[in-house]
Amino acid sequence: MTGAEDRTETVCRVCGFEGEVFWEGGWPNEAAICPCCGNEPDVGDAGVMGLRNYRGYWVGQGAPWSSPSAERRHKHRGWDLLEQMRNIPPQWR
Ligand SMILES: [Zn+2]
């Protein structure tokens, strides 16, 4: 069995965006920044309350993408925020 510490997370804990390595071996990948919500993985994210605060703030701003080119690519494919948010692992919702 693999512990949570060994897992690589490729889904943003805040917005559910998939495609970057955000966490590896229980540590934040400091080079990663979510092209969608702009969250940088941080040990502070280990608490679900902080994530909920950030997510609430971000959605309250209209859920702006931090990367315009990624936004164009995804919106072109019919990106849907609520659908993406279903990717958020249950423990971070
Ligand atoms: Zn995100």
Side-chain angles (χ1 to χ4, degrees):
M1 250 185 91
T2 3
E5 298 76 24
D6 304 322
R7 261 189 297 135
T8 297
E9 287 186 34
T10 57
V11 173
C12 176
R13 292 179 177 184
V14 171
C15 72
F17 178 89
E18 187 165 17
E20 299 255 352
V21 174
F22 293 109
W23 286 74
E24 217 170 3
W27 292 97
N29 175 8
E30 280 162 14
I33 174 163
C34 179
C36 189
C37 70
N39 187 47
E40 296 174 52
D42 184 86
V43 283
D45 291 354
V48 71
M49 291 314 291
L51 291 167
R52 285 179 183 164
N53 279 340
Y54 187 90
R55 188 184 301 129
Y57 173 79
W58 177 67
V59 171
Q61 301 294 306
W65 281 67
S66 72
S67 161
S69 61
E71 176 177 20
R72 274 194 301 275
R73 268 201 318 278
H74 285 80
K75 288 199 168 164
H76 187 70
R77 291 192 223 135
W79 177 78
D80 184 277
L81 174 64
L82 296 180
E83 202 166 295
Q84 175 176 286
M85 281 186 155
R86 287 209 301 250
N87 295 334
I88 302 170
Q91 69 269 36
W92 307 120
R93 288 179 186 166

